[in-house]
Amino acid sequence: MPGFRRLPVSGIPNLRDLGGWPVTNGMTRCGVFLRSALPQYVGEESEALLRSYDLRTVIDFRSEREAERDPDPLRALDGITYLSMPMFDAAASGAALRIRPEAHFSWAEHYIRMAEQQKDWVCRVMTALAGSEGCALFHCTTGKDRAGIISALILSMCSVCDEDVVADYCVSEIYLRPMYAEMESYSRLCNGNIDAPFYRTEPATMRAFLEHIFGKYGSAAGYLASCGLPESAAARIREKLTGKF
């Protein structure tokens, strides 16, 4: 199995592995958890690479309306368990529609609100990931917000340092630029300005999110416990990604 951090898979934007980050006495394992934007198409070469990762589970964080409008092509692959687990934040979406290119827009505030108001969803997602076999891929529309929150919590719970958690979040805006340029609905939000705050994954955003989690719950593990995630499920995720309980 290749050990790419960004998988060179045509048709799946922002596809990245949570493996390859330093932890105590080792690093996170490749081929366990993948994150991405909405898959657009899956060709033969792309399918072959995903098969080499033993991809078995796909978790879709989009709303039912989003999924109906743009079906996930991965769900049609043989041997794939597709799970719909919507976490649609209408308030964040509405705010996005009202922003202007020059306006201040804080994703950190929305992430913190999502974390506080969507604890049941976080617990369901983490439980599914803990119970998944082989490799699991999770995605939303762009793979930076809903997927970004889950990725940050997983990495932090597995003792990846804050700087690397922030770095993993920040790179999304680089990999998403070609996708944004092609998406008319997104370009309308900010008058075509893909440097507007809505498109960004700035370091300060993830730092603020982590500071909230650590300040209120002590750690990502403490936050996940407050969501109702059993310690056995948290331990299973740590074991899968790091080999350690």
Side-chain angles (χ1 to χ4, degrees), residues 121-141:
W121 173 76
V122 171
C123 185
R124 290 197 306 274
V125 170
M126 293 296 183
T127 300
L129 291 173
S132 63
E133 298 294 334
C135 180
L137 181 152
F138 54 88
H139 73 82
C140 47
T141 299

Side-chain angles (χ1 to χ4, degrees), residues 3-5 17-23 26-31 155 160 164 241:
F4 300 117
R5 182 170 291 163
D17 198 319
L18 295 193
W21 292 111
V23 294
M27 66 175 57
T28 56
R29 291 171 166 173
C30 293
L155 292 175
V160 173
D164 286 339
L241 195 58

Side-chain angles (χ1 to χ4, degrees), residues 104-176:
H104 172 72
F105 180 74
S106 173
W107 273 116
E109 296 172 4
H110 295 301
Y111 293 170
I112 291 169
R113 187 181 66 253
M114 290 175 187
E116 294 298 334
Q117 296 182 355
Q118 304 290 342
K119 288 187 173 184
D120 288 346
W121 173 76
V122 171
C123 185
R124 290 197 306 274
V125 170
M126 293 296 183
T127 300
L129 291 173
S132 63
E133 298 294 334
C135 180
L137 181 152
F138 54 88
H139 73 82
C140 47
T141 299
T142 62
K144 76 178 182 69
D145 303 313
R146 288 164 285 190
I149 289 173
I150 294 298
S151 297
L153 291 170
I154 292 173
L155 292 175
S156 186
M157 179 179 64
C158 290
S159 300
V160 173
C161 72
D162 295 353
E163 291 83 358
D164 286 339
V165 175
V166 171
D168 182 66
Y169 168 77
C170 288
V171 75
S172 282
E173 72 176 68
I174 304 300
Y175 294 142
L176 287 168

Side-chain angles (χ1 to χ4, degrees), residues 57-68 72 75 81-87 121 124-125 128 139:
T57 302
V58 174
I59 305 178
D60 190 342
F61 298 157
R62 298 174 302 150
S63 68
E64 292 181 3
R65 182 177 180 181
E66 288 176 290
E68 289 175 0
D72 182 345
R75 68 184 302 175
T81 297
Y82 172 85
L83 302 174
S84 176
M85 293 191 175
M87 197 287 282
W121 173 76
R124 290 197 306 274
V125 170
H139 73 82

Side-chain angles (χ1 to χ4, degrees), residues 150-243:
I150 294 298
S151 297
L153 291 170
I154 292 173
L155 292 175
S156 186
M157 179 179 64
C158 290
S159 300
V160 173
C161 72
D162 295 353
E163 291 83 358
D164 286 339
V165 175
V166 171
D168 182 66
Y169 168 77
C170 288
V171 75
S172 282
E173 72 176 68
I174 304 300
Y175 294 142
L176 287 168
R177 289 180 78 89
M179 177 180 168
Y180 286 144
E182 295 177 358
M183 294 178 66
E184 182 181 354
S185 59
Y186 270 72
S187 66
R188 286 201 306 267
L189 293 177
C190 299
N191 297 334
N193 177 15
I194 61 175
D195 291 314
F198 176 69
Y199 294 102
R200 304 296 300 278
T201 49
E202 297 177 332
T205 297
M206 183 50 63
R207 290 194 191 105
F209 176 75
L210 294 175
E211 287 171 3
H212 172 81
I213 295 297
F214 299 155
K216 186 170 182 178
Y217 300 98
S219 64
Y223 166 75
L224 292 171
S226 79
C227 295
L229 186 71
E231 173 53 30
S232 58
R236 178 59 179 151
I237 290 174
R238 288 194 296 270
E239 180 186 27
K240 286 163 69 73
L241 195 58
T242 69

